[in-house]
Amino acid sequence: MGESERGESAPRRRVSYWCANGHESRPSFALDAEEPEHWDCPRCGFPAGRNEQSPPAPPRNEPYKTHLAYVKERRSDADGEAILQEALAKLRKQREGDF
């Protein structure tokens, strides 16, 4: 379908957005459309805002944590040692029952 078959397009305006890397994006919006506060930069993917001097901060990437790292956040070394001793005692008791 060509443009002539679709009719007139809505009047548009371009709005500038800047990301933390200094990239400018200029998406176009219909005149009566509300402009979003943030826009994703098509070059780097960082959030971009309307204020060139104060763009939104890039998102923080948290490093991947292993299951052990999460456990260590919740338990102290003393807790871990107590749980280990309890589990070993349980295994030893089971083993004695097998003989």
Side-chain angles (χ1 to χ4, degrees):
M1 181 186 291
E3 190 169 321
S4 62
E5 296 170 345
R6 286 186 289 199
E8 292 288 318
S9 62
R12 318 233 3 120
R13 70 174 176 284
R14 290 211 169 262
V15 180
S16 292
Y17 290 88
W18 289 271
C19 71
N21 287 332
H23 303 139
E24 180 183 12
S25 306
R26 297 197 62 215
S28 65
F29 298 96
L31 288 178
D32 59 348
E34 188 175 322
E35 303 160 5
E37 186 177 327
H38 294 101
W39 191 260
D40 289 338
C41 176
R43 289 181 64 189
C44 65
F46 284 178
R50 304 282 315 277
N51 186 340
E52 184 177 7
Q53 270 63 47
S54 181
R60 290 194 53 198
N61 289 334
E62 296 293 327
Y64 174 77
K65 288 186 185 178
T66 63
H67 176 70
L68 180 59
Y70 282 109
V71 170
K72 285 184 174 185
E73 285 180 359
R74 296 189 317 264
R75 307 254 188 210
S76 69
D77 288 343
D79 290 341
E81 185 63 31
I83 291 169
L84 176 62
Q85 292 308 318
E86 184 181 319
L88 288 173
K90 192 175 188 180
L91 285 172
R92 287 182 185 120
K93 185 177 178 183
Q94 283 179 351
R95 204 168 158 194
E96 287 173 7
D98 290 344
F99 291 112

